[in-house]
Amino acid sequence: MHDTRTLLEPDTAARLGRRGHVLDPAIAEGVKRRAEAIHDRDALRAELRAARKGAEPADRAAARAGKARLAELEEDCRTTERELRAALLAVPNVPADEAPDGGPTDPPVEIREWGSRPEFDFAARDHVELGGTLGILDPRRAAKLSGARFAVTVGAGARLARALAAFLLDIHTDEHGYREYGLPHLVTPETMTGTGQLPKFADDLFGTELAGRPLLLIPTAEVPLVNLYRDEMLDEGALPLALTAHTSCYRSEAGSYGRDTKGLIRVHQFEKVELVRFCAAERSAEELDVIVGHAETCLRRLGLHYRVVDLRSGDLGFSARRTYDIEVWLPGQDAYREISSCSDCGTFQARRANIRMRRPGGEKAFPATLNGSALPIGRTMVAILEQYQMADGSVIIPPALAQYAGFSRLAPDGTPTDTLTGS
């Protein structure tokens, strides 16, 4: 959501153009109509108040007519407000000036990389082949249950996924200061609107209805985490707030058919540990570095080679003003693939969700929100399988994760070996 005064400033249209968005000229007309409707309503209210002070019996008919006209003007105000709000909800966030120019087809702007690409003296397998050979992924039965783009993990694979979630949550809650939440996976359309999934991404969402009440499955825990504070006032002294949750996420992946149709890369249901932070707007750039660092910590503990890239303005998500993607190296694909996306949304989501903060002097403002994946369970498993594969088909489990899984190696047949004492 946008402040209309800022949105209609001369340079805003050009800034939105950096992300390929053309500002609808009807918005300026809507702002004008709203102002006129409010002016006419308030003027008539004042006129009726003044008339009531010295009203005579003969004035009663005029008073009734005035009240009827006032009702019409109040409805006009509500209508113009609804229409303007609908138009504003379709406008994406304005890119930060620091976001590099360009679009999705331009090469990413690499910031840094960590670790070295694993080198093999054999042909690297991808996670689909490895998962089948190890017996820890069962795509045939997943398709039988739900159709394409769903996954079933088996035995050590399911245990590894469970261990990853605990490993990641412990890092973020014990070391990074996040408060963990258990959240509903079904939320209201109002909740989805607050973080920007609606109305823009209605086709990407799965929904249902309960007793005539529409509910939608969350595409990320960012949605309920941010909306925990919808219509609330935060104290700036309590910021930054740091929230985390492990949830399943549900996405239709509209428009992505034909890509990554097998395995765990692009599925309709997946698990993820999400990070959300609230801070004063002027600190959002610093907080973006913080949240990226927290995601990087997880990858470094797992010993996974990755790089960080700065998304170009034309490739930003709808609610983001700046985004750093973390891309992990997948030897089986001979390519980097996104494993975490960390975004600074500025005050965009807070405005939509009516989240405010009170500064020490009593001034009210909108806080900034930030979010990041740290990390998705499936894609992290993919990276571990591919980067830690051995020539005999076995897979080494990173030591930091082995403490949670209870084993440090998967034999070629998928049997957990080198079981840790006390597991």
Side-chain angles (χ1 to χ4, degrees), residues 23 120 128 148 163 169 181 186-187 211 263 302 330 362 367 375 384 393 395 402:
L23 191 62
F120 304 111
V128 177
L169 286 170
Y181 285 81
L186 285 165
V187 297
L302 294 170
L330 298 184
L375 298 163
I384 290 170
V395 173

Side-chain angles (χ1 to χ4, degrees), residues 134-137 152-162 407 410 414 416:
L134 294 166
I136 61 173
L137 296 179
V152 166
T153 55
V154 184
R159 183 167 182 171
L160 199 58
R162 175 161 49 95
F407 56 89
L410 285 174

Side-chain angles (χ1 to χ4, degrees), residues 208-215:
T208 187
E209 194 172 277
L210 179 64
R213 184 161 52 97
L215 292 170

